[in-house]
Amino acid sequence: MESQAREPLRARGRFTLRDGYGVGRLLLAAAGIVGLIGNYEYVLLFPAFSAYNVFTYFTVQSAIAGVVAFVLGAIVAFRRERDPQWLDVFRALVTTYILVSGIVFLTIVIQSSSRDYTIDVPWPSQVLHFYIPSIALLDWLTDTGKARLSWRFLPWILPYPLAWGIFTLVRGSMVGWYPYFFLDPAQVSGPLETALYCLVAVVLFLGIAALLVATSRLSWRPQSRGAGGSVPN
């Protein structure tokens, strides 16, 4: 009974569209690794910047998770026609996080001109903030092998960003450094402005996650009874 409930492994044969997704995800993982290395080497050019601070950026942490998600997604794509639900829950989390990182970074770059400073956007930042999130979203939207996600997934998008925000605020108060201006008390008008930015971020997280859930449900196709159980709504 257990063997019947599992989706059989794909037979080896000619190169398929599903294999193409696997190759694409491996390329995304490679781009993420190259971008992370390039970003770290870039910050080393600034003697006043503590290199270990780079790992406190939400972008860097989500990019590392993205590499893991892309590799896992590639392995499954090579072996099976449909993703297990646990994988696409993880993919949806990571895709949401890297998309929010890109949107927030773009907003900061645009607003920097009104705050009397400029932000350089070297190629590693472009890869991590713009190219990878855009291609990952395209991968998600066009992938017909992804699982149907439940709307109950949405609240699970928030624990990690909330934990990261609390950690960043506490750590920033101790070391006097914050990865983003809206968390730095010296660069905002007060706690209310920081809270407003955080509220906007929460709405953005939930909005993007809702989009991913909705598109997973639209692309879902019922499986035969022998292929596995139903997914809860």
Side-chain angles (χ1 to χ4, degrees):
M1 293 294 293
E2 182 180 357
S3 61
Q4 292 178 352
R6 293 178 179 175
E7 182 183 349
L9 296 178
R10 289 174 51 196
R12 294 182 181 273
R14 63 178 183 176
F15 189 86
T16 65
L17 178 62
R18 186 75 169 154
D19 293 324
Y21 279 99
V23 172
R25 289 166 187 171
L26 288 181
L27 292 175
L28 272 178
I33 293 173
V34 171
L36 287 166
I37 294 174
N39 184 66
Y40 187 76
E41 292 179 343
Y42 176 76
V43 301
L44 293 180
L45 299 176
F46 301 90
F49 183 82
S50 299
Y52 57 82
N53 280 337
V54 72
F55 297 104
T56 65
Y57 280 97
F58 191 87
T59 297
V60 171
Q61 295 178 15
S62 60
I64 293 172
V67 171
V68 176
F70 298 143
V71 171
L72 291 176
I75 293 173
V76 171
F78 287 133
R79 294 170 61 85
R80 298 181 182 275
E81 290 297 333
R82 294 194 65 83
D83 296 339
Q85 192 177 33
W86 66 264
L87 172 62
D88 285 332
V89 167
F90 181 49
R91 287 180 60 212
L93 286 169
V94 171
T95 303
T96 300
Y97 296 154
I98 62 178
L99 283 171
V100 171
S101 297
I103 293 172
V104 170
F105 182 74
L106 179 61
T107 302
I108 292 175
V109 171
I110 294 174
Q111 288 189 347
S112 64
S113 59
S114 64
R115 293 178 177 269
D116 299 327
Y117 66 88
T118 58
I119 296 179
D120 292 330
V121 188
W123 70 263
S125 289
Q126 296 178 29
V127 169
L128 296 178
H129 291 105
F130 304 141
Y131 301 146
I132 289 180
S134 299
I135 299 174
L137 177 60
L138 182 63
D139 173 45
W140 179 271
L141 294 177
T142 61
D143 178 20
T144 58
K146 59 180 174 289
R148 183 176 189 254
L149 299 187
S150 168
W151 289 109
R152 293 198 296 268
F153 162 78
L154 290 184
W156 292 101
I157 207 72
L158 295 178
Y160 171 67
L162 292 176
W164 175 87
I166 294 172
F167 166 79
T168 301
L169 289 172
V170 172
R171 180 180 182 272
S173 66
M174 298 172 61
V175 302
W177 182 86
Y178 299 83
Y180 303 104
F181 79 88
F182 55 86
L183 298 176
D184 188 350
Q187 299 190 55
V188 294
S189 59
L192 184 60
E193 184 178 354
T194 296
L196 180 60
Y197 277 109
C198 292
L199 178 60
V200 171
V202 168
V203 173
L204 192 58
F205 277 114
L206 292 175
I208 292 176
L211 172 66
L212 299 185
V213 171
T215 52
S216 77
R217 298 170 74 86
L218 288 174
S219 65
W220 179 71
R221 297 293 182 270
Q223 297 178 348
S224 62
R225 292 183 180 180
S230 62
V231 179
N233 291 320

